[in-house]
Amino acid sequence: MSGKIHQTMGQQSGRRSWAEPWKIKMVEPLRMTQHEDRQKALADAGYNTFLLRSDDVYIDLLTDSGTSAMSDRQWAGMMLGDEAYAGSRNFYRLEEAIQKYYGYRYLVPTHQGRGAEHLISQAAIRKGQFVPGNMYFTTTRLHQELAGGIFVDVIVDEAHDPADLSPFKGNVDLAKLEQLIRDQGAANIAYVSLATTVNMAGGQPVSMANVKALRELCDRHGIKLFLDATRLVENAWFIQEREPGYAGRSIAEIALEFCSYSDGAWSSAKKDSLVNIGGWLAVNDWTLFEELRNLVVVYEGLHTYGGLAGRDMEAMAIGIVESMQDEHVRSRIGQVRYLAELLDDWRIPMVRPVGGHAIFLDARAFYPHLSQDEFPAQTLAAELYLDSGIRSMERGVVSAGRDPKTGGHHYPKLELTRLTIPRRVYTQAHMDVVAESVKAVYEARTSARGLKMVYEPRYLRFFQARFEPLA
Ligand code: PLI
């Protein structure tokens, strides 16, 4: 699985390919399907890729969450699970890994990322307070709103433009944040919520200069800064690649420095940390930790397991170490870029620069004849599945949900379909098949008719909404 990218992956001259720093020890057969099978499966699923059975999927690019392949060391670690109710040795191993690689003092494990989001939102938001963040994420914003907070997007404008080539499109616009503080008063800001590589913007990174400046701004106003560290490792890679002064620093060093500017973080370990389940919350302040430790026993489990088995914590501790190795991140992002280069050859519209975990196809550019009320990104995900059995997901108006005040749709500028690459799972040949299917769907773009929503759940509607094709 060598890559054709060499210049962009740091080689100086001549063709020197990169390859994954692992080999395959166990395989899982894939089922290929026929067009008629897929037509039926898609209709049964209400044209929502989340409602497909995975047995009906060929290449699964729904998400990189919990879908990565664990290493032999992680599987061996699973056998070392200490399933004691309290004080499992695996908790202490995980605590050590968090302290070493993320630098925070106190750890609260949770069953996954949204468990951690729930706890931090309940502990740190008072009803009516504002929560500025660098673009919303679905579960993050929902937990902030359920705790009575009001999310305010303070990301740089470039993030909303899929064609803008700025290197750090995940940055906070400090002027927007200052304005919010001036308008509402620092006491009415719960905390700043900073995502590392911004998922909904296309996996765009935050620069070290930006988080440093943010720290200073927060200190001036006495405001806390918490990270969503779910894809911090990928963010560190972009800093190493793009930010002056960081080319010679390791991913682990960069990640640790990044965290040092924050008061704490939460994470879905199902992404960067290479596990199928798990999450955490870690802070430096003892009083806040006490409150979180109080809440975790109500909603997740005892503070030394947080809804996880001992074996899950062991796999996570090992996954954290593996995720911070430069060669791992290089091949992970290299594979995403390999796919991007193939798509580029055919001028497929997508978010640029390409982010760390996925290709985000620009569904507006695919289907300029469809309005956002006809769900272009949902349509594109359906068309891709019909063409080849590849599963992607919508990241547009359906994911954005409704404004809790007005009840109307949020209409995000970005209307995207995400091809998310699980870590250490698919080969370069799979990427070739994906690219060819995207090309076929792009070539048939003028015949796409759009969808109407016929069932809408109350929360996080993109997971369970149902659609029908427009006549
Ligand atoms: O899916 P969870 O509950 O482990 O994590 C929630 C979550 C929090 N932050 C960020 C940036 C995420 O991307 C995230 C989950 N993302 C999913 C499931 C995804 O498909 O992107």
Side-chain angles (χ1 to χ4, degrees):
M1 274 177 277
S2 68
K4 67 175 179 170
I5 3 172
H6 33 101
Q7 298 296 356
T8 51
M9 294 302 288
Q11 304 288 341
Q12 297 309 313
S13 63
R15 182 185 164 120
R16 297 303 296 245
S17 295
W18 58 274
E20 288 78 359
W22 40 259
K23 59 184 177 176
I24 296 167
K25 185 179 295 201
M26 187 187 283
V27 298
E28 179 180 343
L30 295 177
R31 191 166 87 88
M32 319 247 327
T33 51
Q34 300 303 312
H35 192 265
E36 308 80 72
D37 304 328
R38 296 195 289 274
Q39 250 172 341
K40 180 173 181 323
L42 191 64
D44 288 349
Y47 295 82
N48 184 347
T49 51
F50 276 100
L51 301 179
L52 288 166
R53 287 171 181 242
S54 97
D55 278 346
D56 293 327
V57 171
Y58 174 34
I59 299 175
D60 202 347
L61 307 186
L62 183 72
T63 178
D64 64 331
S65 181
T67 54
S68 296
M70 293 209 296
S71 67
D72 53 357
R73 284 167 183 76
Q74 285 177 290
W75 281 108
M78 297 284 279
M79 297 306 291
L80 302 176
D82 169 9
E83 307 306 343
Y85 187 90
S88 160
R89 85 173 73 89
N90 313 114
F91 167 80
Y92 296 102
R93 296 250 303 136
L94 178 61
E95 187 183 51
E96 228 174 84
I98 298 289
Q99 287 168 344
K100 178 171 175 194
Y101 287 96
Y102 294 86
Y104 303 114
R105 259 178 238 142
Y106 308 117
L107 166 71
V108 179
T110 60
H111 78 282
Q112 62 181 85
R114 71 199 72 177
E117 290 172 337
H118 176 214
L119 302 185
I120 188 76
S121 302
Q122 293 295 327
I125 300 172
R126 274 184 286 107
K127 199 167 160 32
Q129 278 189 316
F130 294 85
V131 190
N134 51 345
M135 198 173 270
Y136 85 100
F137 183 70
T138 53
T139 56
T140 317
R141 182 178 65 189
L142 179 61
H143 279 296
Q144 291 164 352
E145 288 174 353
L146 290 172
I150 302 158
F151 172 78
V152 183
D153 188 1
V154 292
I155 202 167
V156 292
D157 287 341
E158 299 90 288
H160 297 281
D161 177 359
D164 188 291
L165 292 176
S166 306
F168 290 104
K169 283 164 77 174
N171 280 354
V172 165
D173 183 330
L174 299 173
K176 284 185 195 170
L177 179 57
E178 294 240 43
Q179 187 65 47
L180 180 75
I181 298 169
R182 260 200 305 278
D183 290 348
Q184 306 299 341
N188 290 318
I189 310 289
Y191 55 86
V192 173
S193 173
L194 185 72
T196 51
T197 81
V198 179
N199 196 349
M200 303 304 277
Q204 303 298 325
V206 178
S207 70
M208 195 70 88
N210 191 245
V211 69
K212 237 191 239 185
L214 208 49
R215 175 76 270 166
E216 284 167 20
L217 197 161
C218 286
D219 282 345
R220 258 188 281 130
H221 296 280
I223 297 171
K224 296 261 185 260
L225 171 58
F226 294 117
L227 304 183
D228 179 338
T230 295
R231 295 186 184 85
L232 172 68
V233 165
E234 291 169 10
N235 200 108
W237 163 265
F238 290 115
I239 289 174
Q240 190 189 59
E241 181 188 57
R242 298 175 186 171
E243 196 158 353
Y246 288 93
R249 305 270 301 277
S250 70
I251 294 296
E253 286 169 339
I254 295 169
L256 194 61
E257 181 185 339
F258 201 98
C259 291
S260 74
Y261 301 118
S262 70
D263 296 292
W266 67 87
S267 175
S268 167
K270 299 170 72 173
K271 283 77 164 176
D272 267 359
S273 306
L274 299 162
V275 285
N276 304 125
I277 194 71
W280 53 264
L281 185 53
V283 297
N284 288 328
D285 178 72
W286 174 263
T287 313
L288 175 60
F289 173 61
E290 273 199 310
E291 176 61 13
L292 295 167
R293 215 168 47 157
N294 248 299
L295 288 171
V296 77
V297 297
V298 181
Y299 294 107
E300 299 278 317
L302 194 75
H303 57 278
T304 54
Y305 76 82
L308 295 166
R311 57 181 172 269
D312 298 328
M313 293 189 284
E314 187 66 24
M316 209 195 301
I318 298 168
I320 286 170
V321 180
E322 292 182 0
S323 75
M324 293 277 180
Q325 307 308 309
D326 286 45
E327 280 307 301
H328 159 72
V329 197
R330 173 187 165 83
S331 79
R332 190 279 185 283
I333 292 183
Q335 188 175 43
V336 176
R337 287 192 181 170
Y338 173 79
L339 176 56
E341 284 199 354
L342 294 177
L343 297 175
D344 241 357
D345 288 346
W346 297 314
R347 304 265 177 279
I348 305 291
M350 60 186 156
V351 173
R352 286 157 207 285
V354 170
H357 67 303
I359 304 290
F360 287 72
L361 301 173
D362 184 355
R364 280 183 199 272
F366 265 70
Y367 302 138
H369 57 289
L370 297 183
S371 77
Q372 255 180 317
D373 287 318
E374 294 164 315
F375 307 116
Q378 190 79 33
T379 303
L380 179 49
E383 293 290 342
L384 266 173
Y385 174 73
L386 271 184
D387 179 73
S388 58
I390 290 165
R391 171 153 70 170
S392 57
M393 80 145 91
E394 195 265 8
R395 295 271 82 153
V397 65
V398 183
S399 292
R402 290 182 184 274
D403 183 326
K405 258 212 223 117
T406 66
H409 292 306
H410 284 295
Y411 286 103
K413 288 206 181 106
L414 297 174
E415 180 69 28
L416 310 171
T417 303
R418 189 179 73 175
L419 301 165
T420 338
I421 315 296
R423 297 161 188 79
R424 311 192 292 204
V425 171
Y426 291 114
T427 67
Q428 184 167 317
H430 290 113
M431 296 302 113
D432 293 345
V433 170
V434 171
E436 286 160 22
S437 178
V438 173
K439 177 172 182 263
V441 170
Y442 188 58
E443 282 168 355
R445 61 193 178 277
T446 53
S447 58
R449 288 173 306 163
L451 295 165
K452 68 173 178 219
M453 201 188 301
V454 294
Y455 167 69
E456 180 176 357
R458 184 146 64 113
Y459 296 123
L460 302 173
R461 62 184 184 179
F462 58 95
F463 284 133
Q464 292 152 346
R466 299 184 71 83
F467 302 83
E468 281 174 7
L470 286 168

